[in-house]
Amino acid sequence: MGLLTAVVLAGSCLTVFGAMPSTAQVGAPIQIGPPPAGTGSEAPSGTTPGGTPLFQPAPVQPPQLTQPPRRSTVDGAITFDPVRRLTVDAIGTLTPTGGGLAAEQWSGTPGDIALRLVSLIPAAPESTALRALAARMLLSAGPAPADLAPEGALLARRGEALLAMGAIDQLGALGARAPEGALTLELSRPLTEAAFARGDDARACALYDRLTNAATDPFWIKAAMVCDARAGRDAKVDFGARLLSELGDDDQLILALAQAATTGQDGAQFRMGGAGPVHLALARVADLKVDPDIAAINSLPVLVALARGAAAPPFAARLAAAERAERTGAIAAPELTDLYDEVSVATGAPDAALAVAEADPGPLGRAILWRVAEAQSDPAVRARAISKAMDLAEDDAAWRQTARLFAPFLTSLDPVPELDTFAGNAVRGLLAVGDTEAARPWLQRLLRQSANGSEQAESDWLRLWALARIAGGDALTPFDQATVGRWWAHLRGIDPEQASRRGSAALALMAALGDPVGDDAWRGLVTTLPVDIRAVPETAYAYALRRAGQSGRLGETVALSIASLGETPLSEIAVPPLADIVAALTAVGLEGEARRFAAEVALAHGL
């Protein structure tokens, strides 16, 4: 099912298989987060205490007769215990007051566990809420586990994870904060690949030049080939290709690119299947022609670079790359809609445009519908374009992507009588992007119409009630037994075959968020076959996540939440482990993130 299974519970310790790289220790002053303008921050120093076993509370230390004062960053956002020595692993671009997680996010987690959990974070989790949370964790400044060894190892793992997620701009900013001595082989590789993907060849080649004598991995030979091609040293590019062949490196794409770069392209365009940032960089600096097969490219940094026009791909390939990159959270929606703006559409004939989009429901069709919605001042026509885009979404992830892309147009519409039939799409779309404020007037209109006797409004409101409760809590609608009873009766009436499954999903998510779901509700839902054949994470994840949440281990809870799902679609995962994630995130103080994730789960499971 694609779920990661590398974590096992053995005795009282969580063990994750994998080797740790060796990293040199550094000692330069460290700037751990963004200081206020015109100021700097100085890292405190001290001694490093030993770690504690996973799942056990830290032992109470005897009182100190004398203790140095607590130290903090210049802006006061992060305070450090005087017995903790700040290392390069504390570097980050986000502070607790600037979008980051709590500074002590790794408190109580052993260093080896932190390293391995970070290495298990998937590149493309289907949940955009969890992906955003992972990025915040990886970019947050704060002390690493006290027993972490070697120094710099966690920073390097964070860099590798950010690169795999396609967060090439954020990784570049993180690397810029690392002192020169922290740029080890393990950290320099993701920084170099990210620089190539951004088109910052000067930075990538400078990183390579620092490591010329130490770099023996074939990757660095390929990086040297890019730098040589950039400098016009064709003989060295050819030498690099021959050296790779002698070493038995079977990278046919880099060899073909090198040959074309040194002897001339024969007219065939490179499809770039399996390309990484170094391959795309060589094609770009050698001015080779590419026509990428986007479906055959799995590297998010490459997809981001292609979406931004690296190596001048055809527009259709660039658009397809941007859609895949946005769907995973590697680029923001405006980067994709900027490309939509380049699509020529006869916006004065919306019916014809909608028909063309329906005939081509892929990236181009979505771009056409987006252009129609953008151009229309008539709310009814705009609503039709949005509804058509939602209807044409090929799966749940594509539907939620459509909601994000069309969110500016959704928020521009008011709940007026001529849009009553659009209310369901409006509320679901707005809640999918977390805009509960914009969804509230639509729900209020449905309630008023229901009170005035409109059966359709009553049906629409009951159909949306569970999603509204999960996404917005009391701010949108209260939880009471009478409403639960009406909703359940409605659910059984409109879809008796799926009522129990969807009802169970809704109540499980509500209970995880703290709603008082009673025993009678659960007994009433026991109507279907007792076995759910959908995917379930490995048992170790469930118990490790539960204990981490109960113990308040923030970083561990976040990492386990994301790693436990891998890249499996939410609709293919059973609800109980998803509800466990909601409960764990809530337990460590991330209720907003828990609600956003719960809303994604609710939508994926048909609510």
Side-chain angles (χ1 to χ4, degrees):
M1 300 262 182
L3 296 174
L4 295 170
T5 59
V7 179
V8 297
L9 193 64
S12 63
C13 288
L14 181 69
T15 304
V16 188
F17 299 115
M20 286 188 296
S22 175
T23 310
Q25 183 170 338
V26 296
I30 304 160
Q31 181 178 320
I32 62 161
T39 67
S41 62
E42 185 179 21
S45 62
T47 61
T48 304
T52 58
L54 190 60
F55 306 143
Q56 299 297 323
V60 177
Q61 300 293 329
Q64 302 280 333
L65 294 177
T66 61
Q67 182 166 312
R70 292 170 67 85
R71 304 285 297 277
S72 68
T73 53
V74 173
D75 61 2
I78 305 176
T79 302
F80 299 98
D81 191 298
V83 301
R84 298 285 297 277
R85 184 175 70 85
L86 197 62
T87 69
V88 295
D89 296 290
I91 292 169
T93 58
L94 301 178
T95 62
T97 58
L101 299 184
E104 297 288 342
Q105 63 173 324
W106 292 114
S107 177
T109 301
D112 61 334
I113 299 301
L115 285 173
R116 293 181 174 101
L117 287 178
V118 169
S119 72
L120 288 173
I121 292 175
E126 195 193 57
S127 166
T128 54
L130 291 186
R131 194 268 181 196
L133 188 55
R136 286 176 59 200
M137 180 190 74
L138 295 169
L139 293 168
S140 291
D147 64 342
L148 180 71
E151 182 176 336
L154 185 58
L155 179 60
R157 294 287 177 95
R158 289 159 62 196
E160 292 166 0
L162 288 165
L163 176 70
M165 294 167 64
I168 56 177
D169 299 326
Q170 297 93 323
L171 177 53
L174 180 66
R177 295 191 175 278
E180 186 76 6
L183 299 178
T184 59
L185 274 171
E186 291 78 11
L187 178 59
S188 293
R189 174 161 179 173
L191 292 178
T192 300
E193 293 196 72
F196 277 142
R198 294 193 308 272
D200 189 355
D201 300 324
R203 171 64 170 163
C205 293
L207 286 165
Y208 165 74
D209 288 342
R210 288 185 67 259
L211 302 166
T212 300
N213 295 326
T216 58
D217 186 271
F219 165 78
W220 295 107
I221 299 174
K222 298 171 189 179
M225 292 164 64
V226 176
C227 297
D228 288 331
R230 175 174 177 258
R233 298 188 289 261
D234 289 354
K236 286 193 173 183
V237 176
D238 181 65
F239 174 78
R242 287 187 285 109
L243 181 58
L244 287 173
S245 296
E246 291 175 7
L247 291 173
D249 188 279
D250 190 30
D251 188 341
Q252 295 301 312
L253 178 57
I254 199 75
L255 297 178
L257 290 167
Q259 182 176 4
T262 55
T263 65
Q265 194 166 0
D266 62 7
Q269 295 183 323
F270 287 98
R271 301 292 281 162
M272 305 302 289
V278 69
H279 302 88
L280 187 63
L282 183 54
R284 174 173 48 74
V285 300
D287 199 24
L288 302 177
K289 296 186 181 301
V290 301
D291 184 10
D293 179 3
I294 299 303
I297 297 173
N298 295 318
S299 167
L300 284 176
V302 171
L303 291 175
V304 172
L306 289 170
R308 295 174 176 176
F315 182 78
R318 188 179 174 191
L319 186 61
E323 282 221 342
R324 280 191 61 194
E326 195 283 335
R327 192 170 298 185
T328 64
I331 64 172
E335 281 200 64
L336 175 53
T337 55
D338 284 348
L339 290 178
Y340 285 175
D341 257 333
E342 297 183 25
V343 176
S344 178
V345 177
T347 54
D351 289 338
L354 265 61
V356 171
E358 189 166 9
D360 184 5
L364 184 59
R366 270 186 285 275
I368 291 171
L369 292 170
W370 192 90
R371 288 297 315 280
V372 171
E374 178 189 41
Q376 290 301 317
S377 58
D378 183 340
V381 177
R382 176 170 281 185
R384 281 181 58 205
I386 298 171
S387 293
K388 178 64 71 175
M390 289 179 169
D391 292 343
L392 294 178
E394 58 267 28
D395 54 28
D396 172 67
W399 188 93
R400 284 186 280 120
Q401 178 181 45
T402 300
R404 290 193 299 274
L405 298 173
F406 285 78
F409 309 134
L410 281 170
T411 57
S412 74
L413 298 174
D414 296 319
V416 294
E418 55 266 33
L419 296 183
D420 282 344
T421 58
F422 182 66
N425 277 339
V427 172
R428 292 182 84 239
L430 290 167
L431 294 182
V433 299
D435 196 341
T436 56
E437 287 297 316
R440 183 182 293 111
W442 292 90
L443 289 167
Q444 290 173 337
R445 176 171 173 77
L446 288 174
L447 273 175
R448 289 194 301 269
Q449 289 180 299
S450 176
N452 291 333
S454 170
E455 294 183 359
Q456 183 60 52
E458 170 80 356
S459 176
D460 289 345
W461 186 82
L462 287 172
R463 182 167 58 88
L464 294 165
W465 174 78
L467 176 62
R469 177 65 196 175
I470 291 166
D474 290 334
L476 279 186
T477 184
F479 181 94
D480 59 77
Q481 297 304 321
T483 303
V484 173
R486 289 168 56 208
W487 163 73
W488 172 235
H490 176 75
L491 198 60
R492 285 186 298 173
I494 62 172
D495 192 357
E497 292 187 1
Q498 296 294 323
S500 181
R501 184 176 70 83
R502 290 177 178 170
S504 297
L507 292 183
L509 294 170
M510 292 180 198
L513 289 164
D515 285 340
V517 178
D519 293 342
D520 289 343
W522 293 116
R523 285 195 290 260
L525 288 170
V526 181
T527 60
T528 59
L529 293 175
V531 178
D532 189 337
I533 62 173
R534 284 171 294 179
V536 177
E538 287 293 328
T539 303
Y541 280 100
Y543 283 91
L545 175 63
R546 198 170 303 158
R547 293 297 298 271
Q550 292 169 350
S551 302
R553 296 193 291 269
L554 178 59
E556 194 174 316
T557 300
V558 171
L560 282 166
S561 296
I562 300 158
S564 66
L565 304 184
E567 297 181 1
T568 306
L570 296 176
S571 61
E572 297 179 11
I573 301 174
V575 170
L578 299 174
D580 284 346
I581 291 174
V582 173
L585 293 177
T586 302
V588 295
L590 297 173
E591 182 179 352
E593 292 79 358
R595 283 200 180 277
R596 283 192 285 277
F597 174 65
E600 290 179 329
V601 174
L603 288 164
H605 284 261
L607 295 172

